[in-house]
Amino acid sequence: MCGIIGCAGVRDTVPGLIEGLRRLEYRGYDSAGIAVLNGDGLERRRVKGKVRDLAEEIRRHPITGACGIGHTRWATHGRPSEDNAHPHTDCSGTIALLHNGIVENYWSLKEKLLAEGHVFKTETDTEVIVHLVEKHFHGSLEEALRAAVKELEGAFAVACISSRDPGKIVAARNGPPVVVGFGSGESFLSSDITPLLAHTRRVAYLGDGEIAVLEPSGVRFATFAGAPVEKTAETIDWEPAMIEKRGFEHFMAKEIFEQADVVRDTLKSRVSLDSGQVFLDDLGIAPDVFREVSRVVLIACGTSYHAGLVGKYLLETLGHVPVDVEYASELRSRDFAMDRETLVLGISQSGETADTLAALRLAREKARAVLAVTNNTRSSMAREADGVLDLHAGPEIGVAATKTFVGQMAALALFALAFAQARGALGEEASRTLVQELQRVPLKMDRVLGGAAAIERAARRFLDCEHYLFLGRWINFPIALEGALKLKEISYTHAEGYAGGEMKHGPIALIDEGMTTLAIVPHDRVYEKMLSNIAEVKARNGRILAVAFEGDERARAAAEEVFPIPETHQLFTPFLTVLPLQLFAYYAASAKGFDVDQPRNLAKSVTVE
Ligand code: M6R
């Protein structure tokens, strides 16, 4: 939800700001802008559209400056337009400010500021902040921002510059992330670390209720109340090459084809093939906790919620424990019972999703322990949780989650095994069989990905189909939901995910020759029932695609096209069944010419509620 960037240095910062915004564009991409300080005072360039449009605007109307801030927007208040694009300025045009988040009390603040004579030029909630900074400015930008944020309700990561207090950026955080980078003769800020890697590996995270003052010589931190805060720089070990496309046309394709390695990395050093033992030493909580709880609650949104559903089936089967999976946004509105015998896992690729973060904060007040299952061990969720289960998936740039979904399933499979072993629910022989098969899964995933060309052909053949029903049962029911979500998100095609058993309770009314059913039919405990679903669709002239085990003649006879997967343990089939569905969505969207990595209306990290 909006990307922010800034650099206080001594050389021209404009090319660096543009490059940084390109890396942050996954967070929002309906408009973009930058503001810089130079000999002419404060200058801005803003456009409706993408960062490439901003770069073109700057090529036509160049600006330079050694101190500047930039923003790529995902609209909340005010439609995407040049006027509503950040940074926003005060009445005098000497202060520029940008914001990620929502100012909940913006209307009452705006009424007050209007009555005081401030002139508003945009429809955004953000503009009240820059007028508040103007109101409180008496020579120090830091003091003015400190006074301004005290009046704000809601979530914000803000950064501002002023020609009346030049050479510095002042930033404040309450909610959305802000990372600060320490360069040599330059200081940086960003919504995440990826844009910083081109400049420095040394970073620190701004905490909630903190202000940072960035100057070329270094960064000072303080609380909103003004107390100094000491921070030690952390060193980031991500290689810049990890965020390049590596020859793929889209990040999403690169990330789909990396998925076997993600599972390998998630398993690395955490399993013993000889004993079948799983070691989650990096988790940060004692295994006693696993024995002491009587219930597990998994909390997440979107694709992470689907991974949570797979986790539920794994935990129920292996750990014999009652498991609830909850949408974070719903759980927050309910009177949800939780006690000291409840273990909570928050699942989030970004570790910053506002609803999940808020739900985990509620859970921390009641539950025995809260764990974060995340790809970002420096995220808010990771830092606030009692323990962290790291996905080791590397940066995911495509807005549609793929490799982090598989990483989440792998992490949850390890967790379920460790949980079951700690509780004595899983014997050594069974553990060994499962762990050895899990170790073989990445090779099998590579085999499925090797069949991508056939899936591309099928996606092109079905390009005219406007309605899809994804059906799966038991542990592949969540994969049906995920397959439908992927198709919706990037190819804008109507798709519904259903549990096979639910088909006859309503969705069957939709079946005709215009509806394609994508059935997930591995040879597992619900195989026969899924074949019955297929027969019911066929009897009503529906078209059928299927994901089935290699050599499954019954599936082949029933479906127009089968995407084959190698045999594996029935608990691990989701690692294989999800791959053809991701590829199908990817090839459909790319054949339609859509912006696969940045689908309309979406953002990678949803930091608004
Ligand atoms: O960062 P998170 O895993 O918390 O994000 C949750 C959802 O916003 C995310 O999975 C979303 O559904 C993606 N667009 C899925 O592709």
Side-chain angles (χ1 to χ4, degrees):
M1 303 280 110
C2 303
I4 68 171
I5 188 141
C7 172
V10 286
R11 327 170 263 170
D12 180 23
T13 187
V14 172
L17 291 179
I18 295 292
E19 194 42 45
L21 286 179
R22 284 193 219 279
R23 300 234 180 262
L24 290 176
E25 209 169 15
Y26 69 87
R27 301 178 65 89
Y29 31 83
D30 57 43
S31 49
I34 63 169
V36 292
L37 296 173
N38 58 31
D40 296 325
L42 191 148
E43 285 194 282
R44 269 193 307 174
R45 296 288 180 270
R46 298 176 301 159
V47 294
K48 176 181 174 209
K50 300 217 167 198
V51 174
R52 62 169 176 262
D53 303 310
L54 177 65
E56 178 55 24
E57 170 68 9
I58 291 169
R59 197 190 58 73
R60 280 191 270 115
H61 305 287
I63 48 170
T64 56
C67 181
I69 52 178
H71 189 271
T72 178
R73 181 169 186 245
W74 185 88
T76 58
H77 293 60
R79 76 212 131 79
S81 68
E82 184 182 328
D83 282 346
N84 289 334
H86 300 217
H88 297 298
T89 50
D90 66 327
C91 300
S92 68
T94 59
I95 302 170
L97 178 143
L98 46 78
H99 167 221
N100 172 23
I102 291 179
V103 181
E104 284 167 5
N105 59 336
Y106 88 98
W107 189 247
S108 59
L109 289 171
K110 186 167 178 173
E111 281 182 327
K112 230 162 65 188
L113 287 159
L114 282 168
E116 288 167 9
H118 290 266
V119 178
F120 280 74
K121 302 171 287 270
T122 80
E123 303 159 324
T124 66
D125 54 335
T126 302
E127 198 182 348
V128 298
I129 316 178
V130 74
H131 288 291
L132 282 175
V133 173
E134 175 183 25
K135 174 177 164 178
H136 294 292
F137 189 89
H138 306 293
S140 160
L141 190 60
E142 179 183 353
E143 291 311 320
L145 184 61
R146 176 168 293 127
V149 294
K150 284 186 186 145
E151 297 193 40
L152 301 179
E153 288 167 19
F156 52 84
V158 294
C160 56
I161 54 176
S162 172
S163 55
R164 289 192 279 159
D165 190 5
K168 67 179 67 154
I169 302 171
V170 185
R173 177 190 176 191
N174 183 42
V178 180
V179 194
V180 168
F182 305 95
S184 138
E186 320 175 275
S187 304
F188 305 91
L189 70 81
S190 171
S191 295
D192 80 25
I193 55 178
T194 49
L196 303 182
L197 292 178
H199 308 281
T200 180
R201 297 294 184 89
R202 295 173 57 242
V203 304
Y205 295 82
L206 200 59
D208 279 342
E210 289 178 358
I211 282 192
V213 182
L214 288 82
E215 290 173 290
S217 55
V219 187
R220 266 185 306 110
F221 299 94
T223 63
F224 286 178
V229 175
E230 287 303 321
K231 286 190 193 279
T232 318
E234 291 177 33
T235 303
I236 303 298
D237 53 10
W238 284 1
E239 290 301 324
M242 287 166 84
I243 49 175
E244 300 302 338
K245 286 189 199 155
R246 291 189 181 159
F248 286 94
E249 196 182 340
H250 299 102
F251 280 110
M252 185 180 176
K254 174 185 95 89
E255 287 156 3
I256 288 175
F257 283 93
E258 276 173 1
Q259 292 182 105
D261 284 338
V262 168
V263 177
R264 286 187 189 100
D265 288 347
T266 309
L267 300 186
K268 203 165 9 186
S269 323
R270 283 166 158 173
V271 294
S272 158
L273 295 180
D274 293 342
S275 67
Q277 275 295 306
V278 172
F279 309 101
L280 296 182
D281 303 340
D282 52 339
L283 195 58
I285 62 162
D288 290 356
V289 174
F290 293 173
R291 286 187 282 275
E292 290 162 10
V293 296
S294 58
R295 176 185 177 219
V296 178
V297 176
L298 307 174
I299 302 173
C301 303
T303 286
S304 299
Y305 174 82
H306 300 155
L309 287 173
V310 174
K312 171 186 169 79
Y313 292 111
L314 289 164
L315 273 162
E316 282 176 354
T317 308
L318 301 174
H320 311 304
V321 65
V323 183
D324 297 303
V325 190
E326 299 292 333
Y327 282 124
S329 53
E330 282 301 305
L331 182 133
R332 294 179 61 196
S333 328
R334 286 162 54 197
D335 299 315
F336 192 81
M338 227 183 257
D339 59 21
R340 299 286 297 160
E341 288 194 12
T342 309
L343 175 62
V344 172
L345 273 69
I347 308 166
S348 172
Q349 170 277 131
S350 60
E352 299 291 351
T353 299
D355 280 321
T356 312
L357 185 57
L360 293 186
R361 283 178 179 154
L362 289 177
R364 278 204 86 188
E365 291 167 15
K366 301 178 184 167
R368 173 74 173 80
V370 171
L371 301 177
V373 184
T374 181
N375 200 31
N376 183 355
T377 53
R378 298 169 178 93
S379 59
S380 304
M381 273 178 228
R383 280 178 286 132
E384 292 184 26
D386 300 303
V388 180
L389 191 50
D390 185 0
L391 307 185
H392 296 296
E396 184 176 69
I397 307 297
V399 165
T402 52
K403 67 171 178 171
T404 53
F405 175 68
V406 158
Q408 286 166 341
M409 289 197 299
L412 289 167
L414 288 178
F415 180 82
L417 287 162
F419 185 88
Q421 288 168 356
R423 289 163 76 94
L426 197 63
E428 195 175 322
E429 191 50 43
S431 287
R432 204 175 7 251
T433 307
L434 285 163
V435 163
Q436 289 180 356
E437 180 54 23
L438 193 53
Q439 191 75 21
R440 283 191 283 270
V441 160
L443 254 185
K444 298 181 180 186
M445 292 172 74
D446 279 332
R447 212 151 97 199
V448 180
L449 293 169
I455 300 170
E456 178 171 12
R457 280 194 298 276
R460 286 179 181 275
R461 193 149 75 82
F462 278 75
L463 220 49
D464 291 341
C465 178
E466 289 174 356
H467 306 283
Y468 283 86
L469 186 61
F470 284 70
L471 287 185
R473 285 177 185 249
W474 184 56
I475 202 159
N476 279 294
F477 160 51
I479 302 304
L481 296 177
E482 178 59 10
L485 180 66
K486 286 285 93 74
L487 196 63
K488 276 186 270 218
E489 281 189 299
I490 59 169
S491 81
Y492 316 141
T493 306
H494 171 226
E496 307 209 22
Y498 262 94
E502 282 295 299
M503 189 181 86
K504 55 189 167 298
H505 299 290
I508 197 164
L510 293 169
I511 305 282
D512 61 15
E513 50 289 338
M515 170 73 91
T516 298
T517 296
L518 213 153
I520 308 167
V521 219
H523 216 120
D524 59 6
R525 59 168 81 163
V526 289
Y527 174 71
E528 291 295 339
K529 288 185 174 21
M530 276 305 302
L531 283 180
S532 302
N533 279 130
I534 291 180
E536 286 155 13
V537 171
K538 223 172 166 181
R540 287 160 182 83
N541 298 324
R543 300 181 74 182
I544 297 157
L545 294 168
V547 179
F549 279 169
E550 290 164 349
D552 183 337
E553 291 309 325
R554 290 175 71 193
R556 191 158 295 281
E560 246 179 89
E561 185 111 33
V562 174
F563 305 134
I565 60 167
E567 286 189 27
T568 184
H569 190 287
Q570 57 178 347
L571 282 175
F572 301 144
T573 54
F575 290 100
L576 305 178
T577 54
V578 75
L579 303 178
L581 308 192
Q582 294 169 337
L583 286 167
F584 189 82
Y586 170 73
Y587 288 125
S590 135
K592 286 180 176 174
F594 293 148
D595 190 344
V596 172
D597 285 332
Q598 293 174 351
R600 69 187 181 201
N601 303 337
L602 296 179
K604 184 77 182 161
S605 180
V606 184
T607 50
V608 294
E609 297 174 0

